[in-house]
Amino acid sequence: MTGCFSFSEAIERTYKSGFKRSGLRPVTIDLKDGTVVNFWVSKNRPESKPNLLLIHGLGATAIWQWYDVARRLSPHFNLFIPDLVFFGGSSTTRPERSDIFQAQTLMRALEAQSVKRFSLVGLSYGGFVGYRMAAMFGDAVERVVICCAAVCVEEKDMRDGVFKVSDIDEASKILVPESVEKLRELMGYIFYKPSLPRMVPPCLLHDFIEHALTRDNVKEKRELIKAIPKDRIISEIPKLTQPTLIIWGEHDQVFPLEMGKRLEKHLGDNGRLVVIERTGHIFNFERPKTYLKLLKSFLLQTKQQIPVTNGAV
């Protein structure tokens, strides 16, 4: 019913106010090819601060996924926080659905803002995009953080039962839910404590679908998911040359920890895996202080600082 109070809309208004208090402002970049990208960016960009790109995953828009992180990192970085294409107000009339297209789009949008060098953090699907950016634009990307993104997934993994949901069509319906039932199912996969989804009233879940996830671009978002494993084999995945921190939840049921170990092995000396204990796929919500500590330690490293080491925290 129109005119009813929306809890999700109220939260988003709070988040937007918090972003503005943290020195961020919304901008829209029109790439003149049918593609438009919305960003939250630091109003002032002193050269003394490094640039940092935060790339969200599937689900709600960037402001929902980066609110806590952005407020705490804004004193240390010039922040660039986009909504990926098909999320928020970012859109395209072009047919591409690959992580390569998303990576190229973000790079063009950053160049339009005169950003030449930056580090990046990619969360879940954003990790696939961030990895591609680091591989394709190595001269621009300085440090890389990949969070719970199964970059080294292969197409055959879907057939071999590596994931809890092996059918890609079904997985896309769960990851981009349109019903309360599917959203509960998704929450059961992403949280460490599966009892949590059962405690949320259906009316709040419905409100979240309507106002935070939205029913916009559902088909396109599911196409993004289906494009990930298509024809993918590890031997053809480029190896990054930048220092790369890989962060994973110990009990991730979306992308199992084995995927993090596989990526660390693929990167060799350039990759370090840290596992956050007693967390699932959304450790950024479940252990935010630990997550922030890892990000700051790695991204603000100087040559004199001790690097983040392998292990669990």
Side-chain angles (χ1 to χ4, degrees):
M1 186 187 305
T2 58
C4 291
F5 173 78
S6 168
F7 191 59
S8 296
E9 285 186 338
I11 292 174
E12 185 157 313
R13 283 196 296 270
T14 300
Y15 286 174
K16 287 180 179 178
S17 296
F19 263 39
K20 290 175 181 177
R21 287 195 302 273
S22 298
L24 298 168
R25 65 183 179 94
V27 299
T28 298
I29 308 298
D30 187 345
L31 297 178
K32 309 297 183 183
D33 66 347
T35 305
V36 174
V37 186
N38 282 351
F39 275 80
W40 283 89
V41 302
S42 297
K43 290 180 184 176
N44 300 310
R45 289 158 49 182
E47 292 186 9
S48 58
K49 284 186 183 181
N51 297 323
L52 180 62
L53 174 69
L54 301 178
I55 314 173
H56 68 82
L58 297 170
T61 57
I63 199 168
W64 284 82
Q65 300 190 38
W66 292 118
Y67 175 67
D68 203 45
V69 169
R71 288 189 308 127
R72 286 165 170 75
L73 292 185
S74 59
H76 308 285
F77 297 93
N78 300 317
L79 294 178
F80 298 85
I81 310 174
D83 283 322
L84 290 168
V85 174
F86 302 125
F87 296 83
S90 298
S91 62
T92 189
T93 57
R94 293 175 57 168
E96 294 96 331
R97 300 292 183 264
S98 68
D99 52 347
I100 294 175
F101 170 67
Q102 294 274 9
Q104 291 170 331
T105 298
L106 287 188
M107 192 66 209
R108 290 174 61 205
L110 288 173
E111 289 171 346
Q113 299 173 78
S114 301
V115 180
K116 294 182 173 60
R117 297 277 292 171
F118 58 94
S119 293
L120 66 82
V121 182
L123 182 63
S124 193
Y125 178 74
F128 290 91
V129 177
Y131 192 96
R132 287 292 188 187
M133 291 188 77
M136 296 166 67
F137 309 107
D139 291 341
V141 180
E142 297 174 316
R143 286 180 172 270
V144 180
V145 183
I146 302 295
C147 306
C148 56
V151 172
C152 285
V153 65
E154 295 188 290
E155 188 170 30
K156 68 183 184 68
D157 289 327
M158 302 302 297
R159 301 189 299 269
D160 293 348
V162 172
F163 302 102
K164 291 267 182 140
V165 180
S166 57
D167 181 85
I168 191 68
D169 287 326
E170 179 62 19
S172 70
K173 291 175 183 177
I174 296 170
L175 291 169
V176 186
E178 288 188 281
S179 67
V180 168
E181 292 72 27
K182 285 298 181 187
L183 180 53
R184 280 199 196 278
E185 190 173 354
L186 173 62
M187 292 171 70
Y189 284 117
I190 63 178
F191 282 97
Y192 168 53
K193 295 183 178 179
S195 60
L196 186 62
R198 295 193 291 270
M199 299 167 61
V200 182
C203 60
L204 291 183
L205 296 180
H206 179 75
D207 178 67
F208 188 72
I209 291 171
E210 294 294 329
H211 298 285
L213 297 181
T214 79
R215 297 186 187 275
D216 297 333
N217 303 316
V218 167
K219 175 177 175 287
E220 290 82 0
K221 290 172 184 175
R222 289 175 177 170
E223 288 171 351
L224 296 178
I225 295 168
K226 294 174 185 178
I228 292 172
K230 186 173 175 58
D231 300 325
R232 201 176 185 106
I233 55 175
I234 293 177
S235 61
E236 295 181 1
I237 298 171
K239 296 184 179 182
L240 302 186
T241 57
Q242 301 93 334
T244 304
L245 176 63
I246 306 160
I247 309 178
W248 226 270
E250 181 183 16
H251 302 281
D252 193 329
Q253 295 188 77
V254 177
F255 294 131
L257 178 56
E258 178 57 37
M259 287 287 152
K261 296 176 180 177
R262 190 186 285 185
L263 178 55
E264 181 185 41
K265 181 180 179 182
H266 182 70
L267 292 178
D269 291 342
N270 291 325
R272 295 290 181 271
L273 171 65
V274 176
V275 181
I276 302 181
E277 297 177 335
R278 301 183 301 282
T279 63
H281 188 66
I282 55 170
F283 51 73
N284 51 317
F285 287 105
E286 294 173 321
R287 295 278 299 277
K289 290 182 180 178
T290 300
Y291 181 48
L292 279 160
K293 184 177 180 181
L294 288 170
L295 291 180
K296 289 174 69 175
S297 174
F298 177 74
L299 293 168
L300 293 172
Q301 271 183 32
T302 64
K303 293 180 179 179
Q304 289 75 33
Q305 285 180 301
I306 300 173
V308 172
T309 57
N310 298 47
V313 293

